[in-house]
Amino acid sequence: MSKLLFLLLWFFVLNTVQCVLKPCQLRKYPDGYVCVCNETYCDTMDVEKPERFGDFILVSSTKSGKRFDVSKGRFQPKPLEPNVIRVKRFPDLIGIKRNVTQDMKSWLTSITLTVDQDKQYQKIIGFGGAFTGSVSHLFDLMPESLRHALYRNYYSPDEGIAYSMMRIPIGGCDFDLRPWAYNEQPIDDQKLSNFTKLDARDLRRNEQINDLKKVAQIDDIKLIGTAWSSPKWMKTNNQWSGRNALKPEYYQTWADYHLRFLSLMAAENMTLWGLSTGNEPLNGEIGWFFIHFMSLGWLPENQGKWIGENLGPNLNNSEFRDIKLFAGDDQRYTFPWWFDRLNRLSPKAMDYVSGLAVHWYWDRLISPFMLDQTYNKYPDKMMLNTESCIGDKPFEVHGPVLGSWSRAERYALGIIQDLQHHVAGWIDWNLILNESGGPTYINNTVDAAVILNSTTKNEIYKQPIFYVLGHFSKFIPTGSVRIEANLNGFRASNVKTVAFLCPDNTITIILYNRSDKFRIIDFTDDLRGSYEIRLDPRSIASLTYA
Ligand SMILES: *[C@@H]1O[C@H](CO)[C@@H](O)[C@H](O)[C@H]1NC(C)=O
Ligand SMILES: *[C@@H]1O[C@H](CO)[C@@H](O)[C@H](O)[C@H]1NC(C)=O
Ligand SMILES: *[C@@H]1O[C@H](CO)[C@@H](O)[C@H](O)[C@H]1NC(C)=O
Ligand SMILES: *[C@@H]1O[C@H](CO)[C@@H](O)[C@H](O)[C@H]1NC(C)=O
Ligand SMILES: *[C@@H]1O[C@H](CO)[C@@H](O)[C@H](O)[C@H]1NC(C)=O
Ligand SMILES: *[C@@H]1O[C@H](CO)[C@@H](O)[C@H](O)[C@H]1NC(C)=O
Ligand SMILES: *[C@@H]1O[C@H](CO)[C@@H](O)[C@H](O)[C@H]1NC(C)=O
Ligand SMILES: *[C@@H]1O[C@H](CO)[C@@H](O)[C@H](O)[C@H]1NC(C)=O
Ligand SMILES: *[C@@H]1O[C@H](CO)[C@@H](O)[C@H](O)[C@H]1NC(C)=O
């Protein structure tokens, strides 16, 4: 009862608008707006935190070109009244003069948001992107000042969107200048006698990552390593791609290979936080017909045997026993049956696994119920999205569509859906690609959050995807806990939401409006009361309040 009284005491009055320190330099392309950064200018995403109880900060980005547009306000005491009457009584508060017809309309379109911080779900691990060979190559083509600006844009907790995770390939992947692995020569070398140091490409990437950490002033990045393929000689078809599997006589060698990589990286002060059991294992089993990049095929029972008898015990008996081992690393349609079958030949396999990694590529066809089912079966394993990009399907534009808001909206929907279904972190694919969506050695060009002009090399284009990712990564710090948030009303289906209790006890609510109309949201928080939020058309907003 007292909760309810409290709830009635507050509502929102004023919106004082403030700007981020360096706003986005918008440029229009046929499909929408990008933000341009060059050697001397790059926008920043610095947003103050709400300080006093009842203060809030609303940050929004829209199809029409707003990027991290900040407004501040405060809850104020008010008596409870139905929405329609309130609008009549305080017509100026939201800056719209209304008559009775409009009030009716507002009633029909109004949406109620309720947040209950006592209903808690998963704890957030973090957000990030992938540092592939192509990314490393493109960073080296850029002038230092531009590269540094981008490092800060992604990883700085203050100026940037506060990424805290990074996926790194072990050897090559599909976004590299060519396929490669350690110890390609000599062949049939069970001792991995030629894998005694890291490759020059690793050393370069480590330098870049150290530089990034220094420039973005971030001490700790959660690195998660993933191998795409073993050297060809360990595989049944002796090829990078095609239908293949690991030869059973090399199961132990393939585990040693991973341990060797971890030790060599640790010797360079690049200790990994996580390790995957391998990228998209079904590519080498069923996907090989249309997937032509380096892949190692696995059936779950064989991979389970490898994890349960080789990789798992080896890790557990090493200095890397605390590393988080992620199984799966494949599409949502593998959840949860893949994990059920891992234990078939080795009943201990799943005991070594800390997390389940999912990719989003067929999410539009596969219900998120698969994630709930997986969570119900494996409640102690964290779930993480480890790869996502657009432009991979035959019916899509391959490569970047500069300024596309609808591509960014697919990220918004995908991330919100995953977060609503127990996924605890989200890692985007390439941090940067060129304007053709490469480089890649197999023509599988795709889009990315940031695109380099590889003609001049002195401009980058930050896509709407970058800002949509930022609406999550910046406002949902590691350690935040998802809380219950519900939208009700006639038009609620046009708005999606997900809410978090952050470690500093502020609350963050992400609101994504896919409608072409403005929407007024009546917002009720259990402790603080209620107020109205005006959401722009085709927009995403992050609301944080103390
Ligand atoms: C870099 O961008 C800023 C802001 O848009 C602009 O004023 C400046 O002229 C640009 N510099 C170059 C070399 O294009
Ligand atoms: C009410 O608002 C509508 C839409 O703005 C307008 O067309 C109409 O003339 C208004 N009616 C009155 C009585 O003001
Ligand atoms: C070891 O690998 C390197 C390439 O990384 C290769 O040039 C060299 O020939 C290999 N050594 C042997 C003995 O095969
Ligand atoms: C790793 O870090 C330690 C302690 O900070 C330092 O002494 C050592 O030189 C570093 N090694 C490398 C390869 O950077
Ligand atoms: C890992 O090793 C420890 C002993 O160091 C043991 O207690 C534990 O059961 C092992 N973990 C698994 C999954 O076997
Ligand atoms: C850009 O990507 C395309 C497509 O993969 C590739 O052909 C081209 O070489 C790349 N250019 C640069 C400078 O990376
Ligand atoms: C990639 O595409 C280009 C142009 O479409 C073509 O010339 C080239 O042969 C393709 N390369 C591969 C490896 O498919
Ligand atoms: C890259 O820069 C060149 C030179 O300014 C320009 O002609 C080209 O349109 C730019 N590319 C893109 C994708 O904007
Ligand atoms: C969503 O955007 C539409 C316009 O596209 C707008 O009318 C509506 O008020 C917005 N809804 C919210 C909740 O912001």
Side-chain angles (χ1 to χ4, degrees):
M1 208 55 209
S2 66
K3 241 185 196 176
L4 185 64
L5 271 179
F6 205 113
L7 178 160
L8 307 183
L9 281 178
W10 304 83
F11 90 126
F12 143 75
V13 270
L14 260 193
N15 242 6
T16 53
V17 176
Q18 63 145 38
C19 287
V20 291
L21 291 180
K22 291 164 89 183
C24 150
Q25 295 299 316
L26 274 186
R27 184 181 295 170
K28 191 160 176 23
Y29 283 88
D31 293 284
Y33 296 99
V34 301
C35 298
V36 181
C37 295
N38 63 23
E39 286 178 74
T40 54
Y41 190 92
C42 194
D43 54 304
T44 57
M45 273 67 54
D46 25 31
V47 177
E48 286 171 46
K49 293 228 154 39
E51 277 167 13
R52 293 172 303 163
F53 187 80
D55 282 354
F56 69 81
I57 307 247
L58 181 70
V59 180
S60 49
S61 300
T62 66
K63 183 183 182 196
S64 63
K66 280 189 194 166
R67 296 291 179 266
F68 267 56
D69 189 68
V70 181
S71 48
K72 293 171 25 168
R74 202 171 152 66
F75 294 85
Q76 293 288 326
K78 89 167 271 287
L80 180 71
E81 289 169 69
N83 178 44
V84 177
I85 299 174
R86 166 154 36 111
V87 169
K88 262 185 165 171
R89 265 227 195 149
F90 303 102
D92 295 330
L93 294 182
I94 52 169
I96 305 171
K97 300 272 183 223
R98 287 161 188 267
N99 56 29
V100 176
T101 332
Q102 282 171 317
D103 286 347
M104 271 307 285
K105 219 167 124 195
S106 131
W107 178 78
L108 277 174
T109 56
S110 96
I111 297 172
T112 314
L113 167 64
T114 333
V115 172
D116 180 356
Q117 68 181 75
D118 293 335
K119 269 204 190 145
Q120 303 197 339
Y121 303 92
Q122 77 273 27
K123 188 179 260 189
I124 295 302
I125 303 165
F127 295 83
F131 209 124
T132 61
S134 302
V135 168
S136 181
H137 168 78
L138 291 176
F139 277 152
D140 269 348
L141 297 181
M142 293 161 66
E144 186 182 68
S145 59
L146 184 56
R147 182 170 62 241
H148 282 181
L150 186 55
Y151 287 169
R152 285 193 296 270
N153 253 249
Y154 268 129
Y155 283 89
S156 161
D158 306 318
E159 271 183 44
I161 59 172
Y163 269 6
S164 60
M165 306 188 79
M166 185 185 281
R167 187 175 188 227
I168 52 171
I170 299 174
C173 66
D174 41 333
F175 280 83
D176 210 321
L177 305 183
R178 61 193 64 85
W180 64 280
Y182 308 98
N183 215 111
E184 287 180 47
Q185 298 288 333
I187 62 166
D188 302 337
D189 175 19
Q190 247 164 344
K191 297 233 143 42
L192 299 172
S193 58
N194 201 12
F195 186 13
T196 51
K197 47 188 181 20
L198 290 172
D199 188 88
R201 286 163 279 199
D202 295 317
L203 298 176
R204 182 67 196 126
R205 183 178 59 195
N206 287 350
E207 280 168 13
Q208 290 169 323
I209 293 174
N210 279 329
D211 192 30
L212 179 153
K213 283 183 175 170
K214 201 171 90 205
V215 166
Q217 295 187 301
I218 169 171
D219 299 331
D220 190 29
I221 295 178
K222 289 192 171 71
L223 295 174
I224 175 162
T226 308
W228 265 247
S229 171
S230 64
K232 295 191 275 189
W233 54 264
M234 287 191 206
K235 303 174 20 159
T236 48
N237 70 348
N238 199 28
Q239 299 293 328
W240 288 121
S241 58
R243 182 158 195 198
N244 73 82
L246 194 69
K247 290 180 172 173
E249 62 266 37
Y250 296 128
Y251 275 28
Q252 183 52 46
T253 315
W254 187 225
D256 292 341
Y257 183 99
H258 283 79
L259 271 288
R260 190 79 57 90
F261 178 78
L262 295 178
S263 316
L264 292 170
M265 286 290 278
E268 292 281 325
N269 284 346
M270 278 289 162
T271 301
L272 272 69
W273 169 85
L275 181 68
S276 146
T277 51
N279 182 66
E280 300 182 352
L282 280 177
N283 289 353
E285 272 297 334
I286 52 173
W288 56 274
F289 193 70
F290 50 93
I291 286 169
H292 303 296
F293 52 83
M294 54 190 291
S295 299
L296 175 62
W298 281 111
L299 290 173
E301 41 271 51
N302 296 338
Q303 194 180 56
K305 190 170 179 335
W306 174 65
I307 296 169
E309 292 171 17
N310 307 100
L311 184 67
N314 289 179
L315 282 172
N316 199 31
N317 291 329
S318 77
E319 58 180 303
F320 304 110
R321 68 178 55 86
D322 293 330
I323 201 165
K324 310 283 182 252
L325 184 63
F326 282 86
D329 223 353
D330 212 327
Q331 316 304 330
R332 188 185 277 175
Y333 53 69
T334 62
F335 280 54
W337 64 271
W338 183 271
F339 309 108
D340 298 343
R341 294 178 68 116
L342 275 189
N343 274 340
R344 188 159 292 190
L345 297 183
S346 171
K348 286 197 64 170
M350 282 298 281
D351 295 349
Y352 294 106
V353 168
S354 317
L356 314 176
V358 67
H359 296 184
W360 83 336
Y361 295 102
W362 296 95
D363 280 9
R364 289 202 282 191
L365 300 181
I366 311 290
S367 160
F369 178 62
M370 315 286 272
L371 299 174
D372 297 335
Q373 258 189 328
T374 309
Y375 171 77
N376 290 334
K377 282 190 164 176
Y378 303 100
D380 59 330
K381 313 281 185 210
M382 51 189 149
M383 281 201 266
L384 197 61
N385 179 91
T386 45
E387 199 187 299
S388 51
C389 70
I390 299 180
D392 58 303
K393 306 282 185 313
F395 47 85
E396 290 173 341
V397 175
H398 299 288
V401 177
L402 284 174
S404 168
W405 183 257
S406 55
R407 285 190 162 188
E409 288 183 296
R410 281 177 53 193
Y411 270 70
L413 273 178
I415 300 172
I416 289 174
Q417 189 180 69
D418 274 354
L419 292 172
Q420 285 169 336
H421 295 274
H422 307 285
V423 171
W426 227 80
I427 304 181
D428 190 28
W429 192 210
N430 299 281
L431 289 166
I432 186 168
L433 288 175
N434 73 21
E435 63 276 67
S436 319
T440 136
Y441 56 90
I442 30 101
N443 281 357
N444 63 333
T445 52
V446 296
D447 214 330
V450 178
I451 300 299
L452 173 69
N453 186 327
S454 67
T455 315
T456 64
K457 302 184 178 63
N458 59 11
E459 271 185 356
I460 54 173
Y461 310 116
K462 290 196 289 165
Q463 295 270 48
I465 292 171
F466 173 87
Y467 295 89
V468 163
L469 279 162
H471 273 279
F472 295 88
S473 58
K474 188 167 181 83
F475 301 98
I476 312 172
T478 299
S480 300
V481 175
R482 181 167 77 86
I483 54 179
E484 184 76 13
N486 287 303
L487 291 164
N488 289 296
F490 202 56
R491 296 285 163 82
S493 64
N494 281 330
V495 181
K496 303 281 169 205
T497 193
V498 63
F500 298 87
L501 178 60
C502 304
D504 64 358
N505 278 323
T506 58
I507 286 181
T508 285
I509 303 174
I510 314 292
L511 288 157
Y512 158 55
N513 181 12
R514 55 181 176 175
S515 146
D516 283 325
K517 304 268 164 36
F518 276 97
R519 288 263 180 279
I520 309 282
I521 294 194
D522 279 337
F523 168 54
T524 308
D525 173 81
D526 265 5
L527 295 176
R528 291 158 188 86
S530 52
Y531 62 83
E532 277 186 4
I533 308 165
R534 230 184 96 164
L535 284 189
D536 286 327
R538 304 288 292 274
S539 69
I540 182 162
S542 303
L543 174 76
T544 305
Y545 57 91

